[in-house]
């Protein structure tokens, strides 16, 4: 017996030195367990770059903890002691070290939370599951916020978070006199604008090792391993964020909804993968953005837009996730059943916008929000794709994808599959929207101006066909009523051409 007091389990998205489980521990008496697990790498077939990123960040974090004086048992995926699952790995560690207690910070997703909850009865030692205080709003505080509300709109939740944190507040008033500057954040980008690239960090020896391991074990997963430029340590992630604040934040608001051929990142921060595994602190990054605004280095529409994404949307979708799980993943309000087309994996499609979004997803494990929402998400909803396999696709292909944040974005925001719990209307758009916000249509084989026919942009007929198919479910929505009336004004022959064009295109998938 080694005399371990507590066994502290640190999960792959808990790479934060101030984590609640670590804060209760003492390096003199306690032992940390971290493990690269086959079950976790394969419960969906994650993008290769995502696996390499997380394993490398975990290995670097284990080194950081050792330097801070902790005893860390780090089990590599291909180690002899690797057990493949959380439960088997912890059972083995309990047998070996016989700790008095197991300490773990709560899991971010439902599936893992159920595994942890089972240990109370399965293992011979008490298990303490501590709150994850890296979030601003606990699941129970979010539940309280929902009590008595007819609608759970993000905007009102966000205002409470502004008041709670004091971010961008002048006394009890929002800075600039308005809570939300979104109306200023819809400029289409000009391809000639200077686009700063996110900071890139060449793979070190640890990352090269995990790249080789990932290729050997998960070579048939989706995605390219190289080029690999993500930060894998806190220091580098912080440097990447600092560079964003300096070079891209000033334009973040203006071009938040824009899309440009060959420019995957535009003025986005590309930090969700760092925030979600614990390398960056959500409140800390918001404070830096507020400081940039207060010192005149970034305009208010950019600072407010950025802060709203983090303390608004990010916290709000987590609240919805825990409010609605289990079962939220099977939501299908619109009754969609079509299988996911192959081009979500191959990028082999004539639709230039979809091709661009899937190609960069394959190459970078990244697409920005409007590509996820208005290209791949919008297409799936218009085409009637089953939201469940689509959710699995989003969960596997992005380096930042964890179910607590991906699922409400997919099921609620992009597919309207929860019937409007999260989104106030379906995010459905025809080619005209994509043409306004991007330059994809210029190089596309389809004609964005045509509504029907074999050369017409498929988004057009699919959009109107969607409106017609779901009119019963959407016409009572005040934000959709006008669109339904427009469809009704098309004559019968045009409505038939729309149905035929949509059917022909869907048959070709
Ligand atoms: C269908 C779909 C699936 C998505 N899946 C994920 C996912 O798995 N993981 C994930 O972190 N985000 C997801 N998002 C939200 C958003 O698209 C990403 O957070 C963002 O694109 C990440 O890029 P960025 O860091 O450059 O973000 P920026 O545009 O620079 O925004 C800054 C930060 O705000 C936060 N944020 C912005 N929008 C959202 C949002 N809607 N929900 C939650 N946080 C938000 C992120 O932490 C992001 O890093 C999804 C959106 C859609 C429509
Ligand atoms: S024409 Fe249609 S399919 Fe082609 S890029 Fe434009 S919106 Fe996409």
């Amino acid at each position: 017996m080694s005399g371990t007091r507590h066994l502290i389990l640190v999960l792959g998205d808990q790479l934060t030195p101030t984590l609640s489980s670590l804060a209760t521990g003492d390096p003199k008496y306690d032992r940390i367990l971290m493990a690269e697990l086959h079950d976790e790498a394969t419960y969906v077939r994650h993008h290769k770059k995502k696996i390499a990123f997380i394993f490398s960040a975990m290995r670097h974090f284990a080194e950081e903890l050792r330097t801070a004086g902790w005893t860390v048992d780090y089990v590599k995926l291909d180690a002899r002691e690797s057990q493949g699952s959380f439960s088997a790995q912890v059972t083995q560690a309990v047998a070996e070290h016989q700790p008095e207690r197991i300490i773990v910070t709560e899991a971010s997703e439902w599936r893992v939370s159920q595994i942890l909850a089972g240990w109370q009865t399965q293992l011979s030692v008490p298990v303490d599951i501590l709150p994850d205080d890296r979030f601003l709003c606990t699941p129970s505080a979010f539940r309280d916020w929902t009590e008595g509300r007819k609608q759970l709109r993000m905007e009102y939740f966000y205002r409470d978070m502004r008041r709670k944190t004091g971010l961008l507040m002048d006394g009890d008033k929002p800075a600039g006199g308005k809570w939300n500057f979104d109306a200023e954040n819809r400029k289409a980008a000009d391809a000639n604008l200077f686009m700063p690239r996110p900071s890139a960090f060449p793979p070190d020896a640890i990352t090269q090792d995990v790249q080789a391991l990932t290729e050997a074990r998960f070579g048939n997963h989706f995605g390219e391993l190289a080029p690999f430029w993500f930060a894998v340590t806190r220091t580098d992630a912080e440097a990447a964020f600092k560079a964003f604040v300096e070079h891209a934040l000033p334009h973040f608001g203006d071009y938040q909804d824009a899309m440009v051929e060959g420019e995957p990142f535009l003025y986005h921060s590309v930090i969700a993968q760092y925030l979600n595994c614990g390398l960056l602190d959500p409140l800390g990054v918001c404070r830096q953005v507020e400081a940039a605004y207060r010192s005149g280095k970034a305009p208010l529409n950019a600072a407010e837009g950025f802060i709203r994404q983090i303390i608004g949307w990010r916290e709000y979708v987590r609240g919805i996730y825990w409010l609605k799980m289990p079962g939220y993943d099977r939501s299908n309000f619109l009754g969609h059943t079509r299988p996911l087309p192959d081009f979500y994996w191959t990028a082999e499609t004539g639709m230039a916008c979809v091709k661009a979004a899937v190609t960069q997803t394959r190459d970078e494990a990244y697409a920005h929000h409007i590509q996820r929402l208005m290209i791949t998400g919008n297409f799936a909803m218009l085409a009637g794709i089953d939201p469940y396999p689509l959710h699995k696709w989003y969960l596997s292909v992005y380096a930042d994808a964890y179910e607590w944040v991906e699922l409400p974005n997919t099921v609620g925001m992009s597919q309207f599959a929860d019937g409007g719990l999260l989104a106030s209307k379906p995010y459905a758009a025809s080619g005209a929207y994509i043409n306004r916000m991007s330059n994809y249509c210029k190089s596309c084989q389809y004609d964005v101006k045509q509504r029907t026919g074999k050369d017409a942009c498929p988004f057009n007929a699919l959009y109107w066909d969607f409106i017609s198919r779901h009119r019963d479910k959407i016409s009572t929505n005040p934000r959709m009523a006008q669109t339904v009336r427009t469809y009704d004004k098309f004559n019968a022959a045009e409505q038939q051409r729309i149905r035929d064009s949509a059917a022909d295109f869907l048959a070709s998938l």
Side-chain angles (χ1 to χ4, degrees):
M1 180 163 146
S2 59
T4 297
R5 188 185 64 163
H6 296 158
L7 180 70
I8 302 176
L9 175 66
V10 174
L11 309 179
D13 60 355
Q14 298 184 341
L15 311 183
T16 311
T18 53
L19 192 73
S20 53
S21 57
L22 294 170
T24 64
D26 185 330
K28 272 209 286 280
Y29 311 111
D30 303 332
R31 173 181 287 271
I32 291 172
L33 173 65
M34 295 178 71
E36 297 167 6
L37 299 168
H38 183 266
D39 279 8
E40 293 307 303
T42 55
Y43 72 91
V44 290
R45 289 159 60 86
H46 301 285
H47 194 297
K48 283 185 271 191
K49 203 173 296 213
K50 177 183 184 185
I51 297 177
F53 164 66
I54 295 174
F55 284 180
S56 179
M58 286 172 68
R59 290 186 187 189
H60 283 90
F61 186 62
E63 286 309 314
E64 196 182 322
L65 291 171
R66 285 187 183 121
T67 307
W70 290 94
T71 304
V72 182
D73 289 337
Y74 188 96
V75 185
K76 292 183 179 172
L77 186 84
D78 54 355
R80 206 170 26 88
E81 318 79 70
S82 176
Q83 301 295 311
S85 73
F86 284 126
S87 294
Q89 204 67 55
V90 168
T91 304
Q92 191 207 46
V94 167
E96 192 177 338
H97 301 296
Q98 300 182 15
E100 291 164 22
R101 314 185 76 79
I102 294 171
I103 314 277
V104 60
T105 293
E106 66 189 343
S108 67
E109 65 187 38
W110 173 262
R111 182 183 58 85
V112 182
S113 79
Q114 295 310 287
I115 298 173
L116 303 191
W119 293 349
Q120 301 282 7
T121 50
Q122 287 157 17
L123 299 175
S124 52
V125 283
V127 182
D128 291 347
I129 300 174
L130 305 179
D132 189 343
D133 53 18
R134 296 173 301 169
F135 292 93
L136 298 172
C137 183
T138 64
S140 70
F142 188 84
R143 190 174 287 274
D144 291 347
W145 176 79
T146 65
E147 290 300 327
R149 286 176 193 267
K150 281 208 192 93
Q151 291 188 318
L152 307 182
R153 291 293 160 251
M154 194 288 294
E155 181 63 27
Y156 297 105
F157 171 79
Y158 163 59
R159 291 178 191 180
D160 283 357
M161 291 299 112
R162 289 271 294 276
R163 291 188 191 98
K164 178 174 173 178
T165 57
L167 282 163
L168 293 181
M169 296 298 291
D170 291 334
D172 59 356
K173 299 270 183 306
K178 275 200 305 187
W179 292 102
N180 184 318
F181 290 80
D182 211 20
E184 294 173 29
N185 291 357
R186 292 182 190 139
K187 287 197 185 125
D190 180 338
N192 299 323
L193 281 172
F194 166 70
M195 308 282 176
R197 306 293 284 194
S199 303
F201 304 88
D204 63 5
I206 292 180
T207 300
Q208 286 169 23
D209 270 2
V210 295
Q211 282 181 296
L213 178 69
T214 305
E215 193 56 61
R217 295 288 291 270
F218 311 110
N220 58 356
H221 284 209
F222 175 74
E224 298 297 330
L225 263 171
F228 186 99
W229 49 266
F230 290 147
V232 289
T233 63
R234 179 171 326 285
T235 308
D236 284 351
E238 282 168 356
F241 183 68
K242 198 162 168 273
F244 159 75
V245 172
E246 214 166 292
H247 304 298
L249 176 67
H251 289 304
F252 173 84
D254 291 351
Y255 300 110
Q256 212 177 333
D257 288 3
M259 296 171 280
V260 177
E261 182 95 63
E263 291 291 348
F265 310 108
L266 296 166
Y267 296 97
H268 291 273
S269 64
V270 198
I271 59 159
Q273 70 280 17
Y274 305 143
L275 288 170
N276 295 351
C277 75
L279 290 185
L280 287 180
D281 167 39
L283 196 53
V285 298
C286 291
R287 296 230 183 277
Q288 287 180 60
V289 165
E290 170 160 26
Y293 159 66
R294 299 275 181 203
S295 62
K297 292 188 182 133
L300 184 53
N301 70 312
E304 187 281 317
F306 181 87
I307 287 172
R308 173 159 28 89
Q309 307 312 313
I310 309 257
I311 67 169
W313 280 112
R314 188 171 185 269
E315 294 285 333
Y316 170 81
V317 298
R318 178 172 181 259
I320 294 280
Y321 177 78
W322 285 103
L323 187 70
K324 289 291 161 187
M325 283 299 277
Y328 193 56
D329 54 345
R330 293 289 179 175
S331 309
N332 194 354
F333 174 71
L334 297 173
H336 286 165
T337 55
R338 188 173 294 279
L340 190 69
D342 277 353
F343 59 69
Y344 274 76
W345 302 108
T346 62
E348 282 167 20
T349 165
M351 293 180 284
C353 54
V354 177
K355 192 180 186 67
V358 176
T359 303
Q360 77 173 67
T361 298
R362 184 193 63 206
D363 294 349
E364 305 289 3
Y366 178 84
H368 65 70
H369 186 67
I370 294 300
Q371 294 176 304
R372 298 186 205 196
L373 184 63
M374 300 311 293
I375 305 289
T376 44
N378 181 27
F379 179 85
M381 183 170 64
L382 300 184
I385 309 291
D386 183 342
Y388 188 72
L390 183 75
H391 141 59
K392 296 285 182 186
W393 182 80
Y394 278 110
L395 186 57
S396 55
V397 301
Y398 292 114
D400 56 39
Y402 297 82
E403 194 180 76
W404 64 267
V405 52
E406 173 277 327
L407 184 66
N409 270 296
T410 303
V411 152
M413 191 185 296
S414 91
Q415 300 303 295
F416 205 66
D418 63 7
L421 174 80
L422 189 148
S424 57
K425 73 175 190 86
Y427 279 98
S430 67
Y433 171 86
I434 297 168
N435 193 30
R436 188 163 67 248
M437 298 312 298
S438 80
N439 60 359
Y440 293 136
C441 304
K442 288 193 183 123
S443 62
C444 187
Q445 74 178 58
Y446 295 109
D447 181 355
V448 72
K449 303 277 184 223
Q450 288 186 44
R451 194 185 291 143
T452 56
K454 69 176 178 30
D455 296 329
C457 165
F459 280 84
N460 291 341
L462 288 176
Y463 173 75
W464 290 111
D465 190 52
F466 170 85
I467 300 296
S468 152
R469 282 198 326 269
H470 293 300
R471 58 174 306 131
D472 291 349
K473 285 184 168 152
I474 60 177
S475 56
T476 50
N477 183 318
R479 299 187 63 197
M480 294 305 287
Q482 178 57 41
T483 310
V484 174
R485 278 197 294 277
T486 305
Y487 176 80
D488 288 342
K489 285 188 195 141
F490 295 150
N491 62 35
E494 181 64 1
Q495 291 185 352
Q496 189 58 47
R497 278 194 290 276
I498 287 170
R499 275 195 292 279
D500 290 346
S501 281
D504 287 350
F505 180 78
L506 291 173
S508 74
L509 289 182

mmCIF file with all atom_site columns, all heavy atoms in Angstrom, residues 240-253:
data_model
loop_
_atom_site.group_PDB
_atom_site.id
_atom_site.type_symbol
_atom_site.label_atom_id
_atom_site.label_alt_id
_atom_site.label_comp_id
_atom_site.label_asym_id
_atom_site.label_entity_id
_atom_site.label_seq_id
_atom_site.pdbx_PDB_ins_code
_atom_site.Cartn_x
_atom_site.Cartn_y
_atom_site.Cartn_z
_atom_site.occupancy
_atom_site.B_iso_or_equiv
_atom_site.pdbx_formal_charge
_atom_site.auth_seq_id
_atom_site.auth_comp_id
_atom_site.auth_asym_id
_atom_site.auth_atom_id
_atom_site.pdbx_PDB_model_num
ATOM 1   N N   . ALA A 1 240 ? -1.943  33.006 -27.725 1.00 0.00 ? 240 ALA A N   1
ATOM 2   C CA  . ALA A 1 240 ? -2.828  33.029 -28.903 1.00 0.00 ? 240 ALA A CA  1
ATOM 3   C C   . ALA A 1 240 ? -3.985  33.989 -28.657 1.00 0.00 ? 240 ALA A C   1
ATOM 4   O O   . ALA A 1 240 ? -4.378  34.759 -29.550 1.00 0.00 ? 240 ALA A O   1
ATOM 5   C CB  . ALA A 1 240 ? -3.356  31.626 -29.200 1.00 0.00 ? 240 ALA A CB  1
ATOM 6   N N   . PHE A 1 241 ? -4.510  33.974 -27.441 1.00 0.00 ? 241 PHE A N   1
ATOM 7   C CA  . PHE A 1 241 ? -5.641  34.859 -27.151 1.00 0.00 ? 241 PHE A CA  1
ATOM 8   C C   . PHE A 1 241 ? -5.201  36.325 -27.153 1.00 0.00 ? 241 PHE A C   1
ATOM 9   O O   . PHE A 1 241 ? -5.900  37.198 -27.669 1.00 0.00 ? 241 PHE A O   1
ATOM 10  C CB  . PHE A 1 241 ? -6.314  34.493 -25.816 1.00 0.00 ? 241 PHE A CB  1
ATOM 11  C CG  . PHE A 1 241 ? -7.510  35.357 -25.564 1.00 0.00 ? 241 PHE A CG  1
ATOM 12  C CD1 . PHE A 1 241 ? -8.637  35.223 -26.366 1.00 0.00 ? 241 PHE A CD1 1
ATOM 13  C CD2 . PHE A 1 241 ? -7.498  36.333 -24.589 1.00 0.00 ? 241 PHE A CD2 1
ATOM 14  C CE1 . PHE A 1 241 ? -9.744  36.050 -26.190 1.00 0.00 ? 241 PHE A CE1 1
ATOM 15  C CE2 . PHE A 1 241 ? -8.592  37.165 -24.413 1.00 0.00 ? 241 PHE A CE2 1
ATOM 16  C CZ  . PHE A 1 241 ? -9.718  37.025 -25.211 1.00 0.00 ? 241 PHE A CZ  1
ATOM 17  N N   . LYS A 1 242 ? -4.036  36.573 -26.608 1.00 0.00 ? 242 LYS A N   1
ATOM 18  C CA  . LYS A 1 242 ? -3.511  37.950 -26.579 1.00 0.00 ? 242 LYS A CA  1
ATOM 19  C C   . LYS A 1 242 ? -3.365  38.487 -28.025 1.00 0.00 ? 242 LYS A C   1
ATOM 20  O O   . LYS A 1 242 ? -3.720  39.623 -28.321 1.00 0.00 ? 242 LYS A O   1
ATOM 21  C CB  . LYS A 1 242 ? -2.148  37.935 -25.871 1.00 0.00 ? 242 LYS A CB  1
ATOM 22  C CG  . LYS A 1 242 ? -1.676  39.263 -25.395 1.00 0.00 ? 242 LYS A CG  1
ATOM 23  C CD  . LYS A 1 242 ? -0.568  39.075 -24.342 1.00 0.00 ? 242 LYS A CD  1
ATOM 24  C CE  . LYS A 1 242 ? 0.121   40.397 -24.084 1.00 0.00 ? 242 LYS A CE  1
ATOM 25  N NZ  . LYS A 1 242 ? 1.220   40.679 -24.988 1.00 0.00 ? 242 LYS A NZ  1
ATOM 26  N N   . ALA A 1 243 ? -2.875  37.622 -28.896 1.00 0.00 ? 243 ALA A N   1
ATOM 27  C CA  . ALA A 1 243 ? -2.705  38.033 -30.299 1.00 0.00 ? 243 ALA A CA  1
ATOM 28  C C   . ALA A 1 243 ? -4.065  38.326 -30.933 1.00 0.00 ? 243 ALA A C   1
ATOM 29  O O   . ALA A 1 243 ? -4.218  39.273 -31.713 1.00 0.00 ? 243 ALA A O   1
ATOM 30  C CB  . ALA A 1 243 ? -1.973  36.945 -31.078 1.00 0.00 ? 243 ALA A CB  1
ATOM 31  N N   . PHE A 1 244 ? -5.072  37.520 -30.588 1.00 0.00 ? 244 PHE A N   1
ATOM 32  C CA  . PHE A 1 244 ? -6.426  37.789 -31.111 1.00 0.00 ? 244 PHE A CA  1
ATOM 33  C C   . PHE A 1 244 ? -6.901  39.171 -30.657 1.00 0.00 ? 244 PHE A C   1
ATOM 34  O O   . PHE A 1 244 ? -7.410  39.957 -31.465 1.00 0.00 ? 244 PHE A O   1
ATOM 35  C CB  . PHE A 1 244 ? -7.403  36.702 -30.616 1.00 0.00 ? 244 PHE A CB  1
ATOM 36  C CG  . PHE A 1 244 ? -8.836  37.139 -30.672 1.00 0.00 ? 244 PHE A CG  1
ATOM 37  C CD1 . PHE A 1 244 ? -9.520  37.206 -31.883 1.00 0.00 ? 244 PHE A CD1 1
ATOM 38  C CD2 . PHE A 1 244 ? -9.522  37.511 -29.505 1.00 0.00 ? 244 PHE A CD2 1
ATOM 39  C CE1 . PHE A 1 244 ? -10.847 37.649 -31.942 1.00 0.00 ? 244 PHE A CE1 1
ATOM 40  C CE2 . PHE A 1 244 ? -10.841 37.957 -29.559 1.00 0.00 ? 244 PHE A CE2 1
ATOM 41  C CZ  . PHE A 1 244 ? -11.510 38.021 -30.778 1.00 0.00 ? 244 PHE A CZ  1
ATOM 42  N N   . VAL A 1 245 ? -6.723  39.467 -29.365 1.00 0.00 ? 245 VAL A N   1
ATOM 43  C CA  . VAL A 1 245 ? -7.211  40.754 -28.832 1.00 0.00 ? 245 VAL A CA  1
ATOM 44  C C   . VAL A 1 245 ? -6.529  41.904 -29.569 1.00 0.00 ? 245 VAL A C   1
ATOM 45  O O   . VAL A 1 245 ? -7.168  42.884 -29.953 1.00 0.00 ? 245 VAL A O   1
ATOM 46  C CB  . VAL A 1 245 ? -6.969  40.836 -27.304 1.00 0.00 ? 245 VAL A CB  1
ATOM 47  C CG1 . VAL A 1 245 ? -7.295  42.230 -26.776 1.00 0.00 ? 245 VAL A CG1 1
ATOM 48  C CG2 . VAL A 1 245 ? -7.796  39.784 -26.582 1.00 0.00 ? 245 VAL A CG2 1
ATOM 49  N N   . GLU A 1 246 ? -5.250  41.736 -29.817 1.00 0.00 ? 246 GLU A N   1
ATOM 50  C CA  . GLU A 1 246 ? -4.490  42.810 -30.464 1.00 0.00 ? 246 GLU A CA  1
ATOM 51  C C   . GLU A 1 246 ? -4.855  42.986 -31.945 1.00 0.00 ? 246 GLU A C   1
ATOM 52  O O   . GLU A 1 246 ? -5.094  44.080 -32.409 1.00 0.00 ? 246 GLU A O   1
ATOM 53  C CB  . GLU A 1 246 ? -3.006  42.465 -30.355 1.00 0.00 ? 246 GLU A CB  1
ATOM 54  C CG  . GLU A 1 246 ? -2.117  43.677 -30.187 1.00 0.00 ? 246 GLU A CG  1
ATOM 55  C CD  . GLU A 1 246 ? -0.741  43.212 -29.758 1.00 0.00 ? 246 GLU A CD  1
ATOM 56  O OE1 . GLU A 1 246 ? -0.611  42.703 -28.610 1.00 0.00 ? 246 GLU A OE1 1
ATOM 57  O OE2 . GLU A 1 246 ? 0.167   43.321 -30.579 1.00 0.00 ? 246 GLU A OE2 1
ATOM 58  N N   . HIS A 1 247 ? -4.934  41.868 -32.670 1.00 0.00 ? 247 HIS A N   1
ATOM 59  C CA  . HIS A 1 247 ? -5.026  41.969 -34.133 1.00 0.00 ? 247 HIS A CA  1
ATOM 60  C C   . HIS A 1 247 ? -6.428  41.769 -34.714 1.00 0.00 ? 247 HIS A C   1
ATOM 61  O O   . HIS A 1 247 ? -6.733  42.322 -35.766 1.00 0.00 ? 247 HIS A O   1
ATOM 62  C CB  . HIS A 1 247 ? -4.077  40.961 -34.795 1.00 0.00 ? 247 HIS A CB  1
ATOM 63  C CG  . HIS A 1 247 ? -2.661  41.113 -34.349 1.00 0.00 ? 247 HIS A CG  1
ATOM 64  N ND1 . HIS A 1 247 ? -1.948  42.271 -34.565 1.00 0.00 ? 247 HIS A ND1 1
ATOM 65  C CD2 . HIS A 1 247 ? -1.833  40.278 -33.676 1.00 0.00 ? 247 HIS A CD2 1
ATOM 66  C CE1 . HIS A 1 247 ? -0.730  42.134 -34.052 1.00 0.00 ? 247 HIS A CE1 1
ATOM 67  N NE2 . HIS A 1 247 ? -0.641  40.938 -33.498 1.00 0.00 ? 247 HIS A NE2 1
ATOM 68  N N   . ALA A 1 248 ? -7.245  40.944 -34.083 1.00 0.00 ? 248 ALA A N   1
ATOM 69  C CA  . ALA A 1 248 ? -8.527  40.597 -34.722 1.00 0.00 ? 248 ALA A CA  1
ATOM 70  C C   . ALA A 1 248 ? -9.744  41.167 -33.996 1.00 0.00 ? 248 ALA A C   1
ATOM 71  O O   . ALA A 1 248 ? -10.744 41.489 -34.643 1.00 0.00 ? 248 ALA A O   1
ATOM 72  C CB  . ALA A 1 248 ? -8.654  39.069 -34.815 1.00 0.00 ? 248 ALA A CB  1
ATOM 73  N N   . LEU A 1 249 ? -9.652  41.302 -32.676 1.00 0.00 ? 249 LEU A N   1
ATOM 74  C CA  . LEU A 1 249 ? -10.827 41.757 -31.916 1.00 0.00 ? 249 LEU A CA  1
ATOM 75  C C   . LEU A 1 249 ? -11.452 43.044 -32.468 1.00 0.00 ? 249 LEU A C   1
ATOM 76  O O   . LEU A 1 249 ? -12.679 43.137 -32.554 1.00 0.00 ? 249 LEU A O   1
ATOM 77  C CB  . LEU A 1 249 ? -10.467 41.912 -30.426 1.00 0.00 ? 249 LEU A CB  1
ATOM 78  C CG  . LEU A 1 249 ? -11.585 42.475 -29.541 1.00 0.00 ? 249 LEU A CG  1
ATOM 79  C CD1 . LEU A 1 249 ? -12.750 41.490 -29.445 1.00 0.00 ? 249 LEU A CD1 1
ATOM 80  C CD2 . LEU A 1 249 ? -11.057 42.798 -28.137 1.00 0.00 ? 249 LEU A CD2 1
ATOM 81  N N   . PRO A 1 250 ? -10.655 44.046 -32.860 1.00 0.00 ? 250 PRO A N   1
ATOM 82  C CA  . PRO A 1 250 ? -11.295 45.280 -33.326 1.00 0.00 ? 250 PRO A CA  1
ATOM 83  C C   . PRO A 1 250 ? -12.312 45.055 -34.445 1.00 0.00 ? 250 PRO A C   1
ATOM 84  O O   . PRO A 1 250 ? -13.270 45.788 -34.576 1.00 0.00 ? 250 PRO A O   1
ATOM 85  C CB  . PRO A 1 250 ? -10.113 46.145 -33.787 1.00 0.00 ? 250 PRO A CB  1
ATOM 86  C CG  . PRO A 1 250 ? -8.969  45.660 -32.951 1.00 0.00 ? 250 PRO A CG  1
ATOM 87  C CD  . PRO A 1 250 ? -9.195  44.180 -32.767 1.00 0.00 ? 250 PRO A CD  1
ATOM 88  N N   . HIS A 1 251 ? -12.120 44.005 -35.275 1.00 0.00 ? 251 HIS A N   1
ATOM 89  C CA  . HIS A 1 251 ? -13.073 43.736 -36.365 1.00 0.00 ? 251 HIS A CA  1
ATOM 90  C C   . HIS A 1 251 ? -13.991 42.560 -36.063 1.00 0.00 ? 251 HIS A C   1
ATOM 91  O O   . HIS A 1 251 ? -14.789 42.165 -36.915 1.00 0.00 ? 251 HIS A O   1
ATOM 92  C CB  . HIS A 1 251 ? -12.310 43.417 -37.660 1.00 0.00 ? 251 HIS A CB  1
ATOM 93  C CG  . HIS A 1 251 ? -11.626 44.617 -38.241 1.00 0.00 ? 251 HIS A CG  1
ATOM 94  N ND1 . HIS A 1 251 ? -12.311 45.766 -38.556 1.00 0.00 ? 251 HIS A ND1 1
ATOM 95  C CD2 . HIS A 1 251 ? -10.343 44.845 -38.552 1.00 0.00 ? 251 HIS A CD2 1
ATOM 96  C CE1 . HIS A 1 251 ? -11.471 46.654 -39.047 1.00 0.00 ? 251 HIS A CE1 1
ATOM 97  N NE2 . HIS A 1 251 ? -10.272 46.119 -39.043 1.00 0.00 ? 251 HIS A NE2 1
ATOM 98  N N   . PHE A 1 252 ? -13.845 41.952 -34.867 1.00 0.00 ? 252 PHE A N   1
ATOM 99  C CA  . PHE A 1 252 ? -14.615 40.737 -34.550 1.00 0.00 ? 252 PHE A CA  1
ATOM 100 C C   . PHE A 1 252 ? -16.105 40.969 -34.734 1.00 0.00 ? 252 PHE A C   1
ATOM 101 O O   . PHE A 1 252 ? -16.813 40.154 -35.330 1.00 0.00 ? 252 PHE A O   1
ATOM 102 C CB  . PHE A 1 252 ? -14.323 40.294 -33.104 1.00 0.00 ? 252 PHE A CB  1
ATOM 103 C CG  . PHE A 1 252 ? -15.193 39.165 -32.623 1.00 0.00 ? 252 PHE A CG  1
ATOM 104 C CD1 . PHE A 1 252 ? -14.875 37.853 -32.901 1.00 0.00 ? 252 PHE A CD1 1
ATOM 105 C CD2 . PHE A 1 252 ? -16.350 39.422 -31.888 1.00 0.00 ? 252 PHE A CD2 1
ATOM 106 C CE1 . PHE A 1 252 ? -15.684 36.814 -32.463 1.00 0.00 ? 252 PHE A CE1 1
ATOM 107 C CE2 . PHE A 1 252 ? -17.168 38.387 -31.444 1.00 0.00 ? 252 PHE A CE2 1
ATOM 108 C CZ  . PHE A 1 252 ? -16.830 37.078 -31.734 1.00 0.00 ? 252 PHE A CZ  1
ATOM 109 N N   . GLY A 1 253 ? -16.600 42.105 -34.217 1.00 0.00 ? 253 GLY A N   1
ATOM 110 C CA  . GLY A 1 253 ? -18.036 42.378 -34.293 1.00 0.00 ? 253 GLY A CA  1
ATOM 111 C C   . GLY A 1 253 ? -18.488 42.574 -35.728 1.00 0.00 ? 253 GLY A C   1
ATOM 112 O O   . GLY A 1 253 ? -19.371 41.868 -36.233 1.00 0.00 ? 253 GLY A O   1
#
